[in-house]
Amino acid sequence: MGNPVADKFSADDFARYRSKRLEAGISANAINREHAYLRAMFNELKRLNHWNSENPLSEIRSFKIVEKELTFLANDQIKLLFAALSESSNPDTLLVSQICLATGARWSEAEGLKPTQLRQGAIEYAVTKSGKNRTIPISAELETELQQLAKDGRARLFVNCYSAFREAVDRSGLALPAGQLTHVLRHTFASHFMMNGGNILTLQRVLGHSDLKMTMRYAHLSPEHLQEVRNLNPLARLTLG
């Protein structure tokens, strides 16, 4: 945008800027975030009485985002992935993946675990993307493995193993959508949680979503999702009559 002076900045300036960003291949989602940050900046300046005019971005609509399909792994695919991970030159890769599948953690959260985050049968995720701490119960078997690593006195339980995970996925032959490499583990946790009868509000807390709309992407996988439609639609009621 050329560092415009704030009181000279207009909605037209931002509209031209985001058009250029789109042409440069920047995603609409990323541009919406920039829009939100700039709009929030002017709102904050106004709250602090440093800005007396209207927010120049208040009337600009964000781009409508078409929701992408979230890929998750079926049980046989998980076994296939684990077989490839067990052959990895980095022994931490398999356990980090298991943590993601067991707790719905992001890869960075699981990979960066410290011994101090182990809490009597649970893992506490701190300094998260949402800014909220989450404490997630884990199985006794997984806790034993992690406590064994913690006894070594290391500052972090694992070394970086993202690249080793990518190599394992390639070896397994699994085809994953762009941008969903390690995130497929989080999607797999959430999807299986709902398919196995989990509660959507519990899932929201486990994933750390501040907005329930984010979690609702998984609601349709619940075996009870919209089942009332079978009995409460007019055709069914007419048949019953």
Side-chain angles (χ1 to χ4, degrees):
M1 285 184 284
N3 291 326
V5 177
D7 60 4
K8 304 294 183 184
F9 181 67
S10 68
D12 287 340
D13 292 327
F14 184 75
R16 285 191 293 270
Y17 164 77
R18 72 178 188 175
S19 292
K20 291 179 181 178
R21 297 281 279 167
L22 279 176
E23 292 171 3
I26 307 301
S27 71
N29 214 0
I31 295 171
N32 280 349
R33 285 196 295 270
E34 293 176 344
H35 181 189
Y37 295 150
L38 277 173
R39 187 174 57 223
M41 179 196 72
F42 279 104
N43 286 339
E44 184 65 8
L45 289 174
K46 195 165 186 175
R47 188 185 71 82
L48 296 172
N49 295 319
H50 294 314
W51 183 262
N52 297 319
S53 302
E54 292 299 315
N55 189 327
L57 299 179
S58 61
E59 299 302 319
I60 295 184
R61 293 181 179 179
S62 299
F63 290 124
K64 186 175 181 178
I65 305 298
V66 177
E67 193 173 280
K68 295 181 179 178
E69 181 181 358
L70 300 178
T71 298
F72 66 90
L73 303 178
N75 288 333
D76 58 337
Q77 292 175 308
I78 296 174
K79 293 176 181 177
L80 186 65
L81 176 60
F82 279 4
L85 289 169
S86 65
E87 299 172 357
S88 175
S89 58
N90 188 328
D92 289 344
T93 317
L94 176 58
L95 191 49
V96 171
S97 301
Q98 290 174 334
I99 292 169
C100 291
L101 285 175
T103 67
R106 298 176 179 86
W107 184 267
S108 58
E109 294 173 336
E111 187 184 55
L113 276 179
K114 299 176 182 178
T116 53
Q117 291 175 253
L118 302 180
R119 292 276 192 274
Q120 296 181 335
I123 294 175
E124 180 183 33
Y125 294 109
V127 194
T128 64
K129 184 178 180 180
S130 66
K132 297 179 180 179
N133 292 359
R134 315 190 311 275
T135 301
I136 314 299
I138 55 175
S139 69
E141 293 79 11
L142 185 55
E143 181 188 17
T144 298
E145 285 193 73
L146 295 177
Q147 290 291 1
Q148 195 63 41
L149 290 176
K151 289 179 182 178
D152 294 343
R154 56 180 79 181
R156 272 179 49 178
L157 296 180
F158 308 111
V159 298
N160 294 339
C161 46
Y162 180 89
S163 296
F165 181 82
R166 179 187 294 277
E167 292 168 0
V169 169
D170 290 341
R171 285 196 306 274
S172 72
L174 292 172
L176 302 179
Q180 291 190 36
L181 181 63
T182 56
H183 222 56
V184 74
L185 301 175
R186 183 168 161 90
H187 295 323
T188 299
F189 165 84
S191 300
H192 283 256
F193 181 88
M194 292 307 299
M195 288 189 293
N196 291 328
N199 179 277
I200 193 69
L201 295 179
T202 299
L203 182 61
Q204 180 190 11
R205 292 194 295 271
V206 171
L207 295 180
H209 289 161
S210 56
D211 189 342
L212 183 59
K213 287 187 292 186
M214 287 287 291
T215 322
M216 287 300 293
R217 296 179 297 174
Y218 303 102
H220 70 283
L221 296 168
S222 170
E224 297 180 359
H225 181 64
L226 300 182
Q227 290 303 308
E228 295 92 340
V229 172
R230 289 178 177 167
N231 298 323
L232 302 184
N233 70 78
L235 180 60
R237 306 310 290 179
L238 182 65
T239 304
L240 290 173

